[in-house]
């Protein structure tokens, strides 16, 4: 049987307790989870790639099942380059679902060998969003309750 390797793609700008919860819950479903930070030229990030890679590396430092990479381009190509047969995504709301459904179905049409697996957000994390965390940070608030303790915000870009 082939290894069950999943890519968990996202911007993780920054990585939140919601993202962490998806990885921890999916851990038992796969042999390996590769957290893959996409660098998307049309989406300006608040945090550098180095910060985002470093935080996630710290969180899962002692877990040999979890690794972390950055990638450019299509998630399906990232899967093929890493021999991953699964894309892992989290769903918080019906708008997440509508957005994810189109991408997953188009990906499946092009690459039927790659399956997308969704986990529903836990109710206690379904309101947690990186975009709102960024707003809190930019306006000088304290977002720490929404962040794993390894995510230490020192400064922001620009
Ligand atoms: P993207 O820019 O690809 O949406 P994100 O970093 O915002 O990347 O999210 C990565 C994945 O994590 C997505 O599948 C998203 O739905 C999921 N996610 C984000 N926040 C949460 C949360 N609070 N609970 C569960 N899943 C989440």
């Amino acid at each position: 049987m082939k290894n069950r390797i999943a890519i968990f793609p996202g911007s993780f700008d920054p990585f939140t307790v919601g993202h962490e919860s998806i990885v921890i819950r999916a851990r038992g479903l796969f042999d390996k989870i590769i957290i893959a930070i996409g660098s998307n030229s049309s989406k300006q990030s608040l945090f550098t790639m180095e910060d985002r890679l470093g935080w996630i590396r710290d969180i899962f430092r002692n877990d040999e099942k979890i690794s972390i990479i950055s990638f450019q381009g299509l998630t399906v190509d990232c899967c093929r380059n890493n021999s991953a047969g699964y894309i892992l995504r989290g769903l918080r709301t019906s708008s997440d679902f509508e957005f994810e459904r189109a991408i997953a179905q188009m990906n499946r049409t092009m690459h039927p060998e790659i399956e997308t697996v969704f986990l529903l957000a836990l109710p206690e994390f379904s309101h947690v969003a990186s975009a709102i965390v960024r707003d809190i940070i930019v306006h000088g608030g304290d977002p720490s309750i929404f962040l794993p303790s390894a995510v230490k915000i020192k400064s922001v870009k620009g």
Side-chain angles (χ1 to χ4, degrees), residues 5-74:
I5 302 175
I7 294 283
F8 182 37
S11 352
F12 307 117
D13 187 35
F15 197 82
T16 69
V17 287
H19 297 129
E20 182 184 36
S21 147
I22 293 290
V23 174
I24 291 169
R25 290 166 59 210
R27 197 183 176 285
L29 302 176
F30 299 104
D31 298 311
K32 183 173 175 188
I33 297 176
I34 303 170
I35 302 170
I37 309 181
S39 53
N40 182 339
S41 52
S42 67
K43 208 167 158 184
Q44 180 71 30
S45 65
L46 184 61
F47 295 102
T48 63
M49 183 59 80
E50 293 69 36
D51 275 348
R52 288 178 283 161
L53 286 167
W55 287 325
I56 300 170
R57 209 171 277 131
D58 270 0
I59 296 168
F60 298 106
R61 180 177 297 288
N62 298 316
D63 193 331
E64 73 289 350
K65 261 194 172 187
I66 315 292
S67 61
I68 163 83
I69 59 170
S70 63
F71 76 102
Q72 283 186 322
L74 297 177

Side-chain angles (χ1 to χ4, degrees), residues 8-13 16 18-19 22 43 88-92 96 99-100 119-122 125-130:
F8 182 37
S11 352
F12 307 117
D13 187 35
T16 69
H19 297 129
I22 293 290
K43 208 167 158 184
L88 172 65
R89 297 286 285 175
L91 292 178
R92 289 164 294 185
D96 271 359
F99 178 72
E100 298 287 342
L119 289 187
L120 281 185
L122 293 180
F125 296 135
S126 60
H127 60 291
V128 177
S130 294

